[in-house]
Amino acid sequence: MPALWIAHVTVTDEEAYGKYAALAGPAIAKHGGHFIARAARFVQLEGKERPRNVVAKFPDVETAVACYNSPEYQEALSHARGASERELLVVETSE
């Protein structure tokens, strides 16, 4: 079943986070993921508001987790650490 990779982010260092974004997109695409929402309009109804919300769709949970653990994504993530506050989860979809 497909899976959604959902990130809620507050960027604290735009320059460093830009390096993350430049590397993360190709890493996600390499693993069959594609963005369905990225920094678009949102309405926070509950919980901690993060101004940047990203949703990518993957073929399945295992592929999304493999992407996260891949050397390419970990390199990208090294630029996000210290440049953002983030929550990231992967959830299986019913479609």
Side-chain angles (χ1 to χ4, degrees):
M1 291 187 144
L4 299 178
W5 163 310
I6 304 169
H8 305 289
V9 183
T10 299
V11 176
T12 57
D13 181 336
E14 292 286 342
E15 184 178 338
Y17 201 80
K19 293 175 185 176
Y20 159 79
L23 295 170
I28 288 169
K30 180 178 178 179
H31 289 86
H34 66 278
F35 294 105
I36 58 176
R38 187 162 40 179
R41 183 177 161 222
F42 72 96
V43 176
Q44 184 75 31
L45 298 174
E46 292 186 22
K48 182 173 176 78
E49 181 172 317
R50 299 272 186 207
R52 184 174 179 88
N53 298 283
V54 178
V55 181
K57 189 171 185 178
F58 284 84
D60 52 51
V61 169
E62 293 76 17
T63 303
V65 172
C67 176
Y68 181 85
N69 291 318
S70 72
E72 299 89 358
Y73 187 77
Q74 288 299 307
E75 180 182 348
L77 193 56
S78 72
H79 297 285
R81 291 189 178 112
S84 62
E85 298 172 6
R86 312 164 20 111
E87 287 86 32
L88 175 64
L89 67 103
V90 175
V91 62
E92 190 171 64
T93 68
S94 58
E95 299 180 0

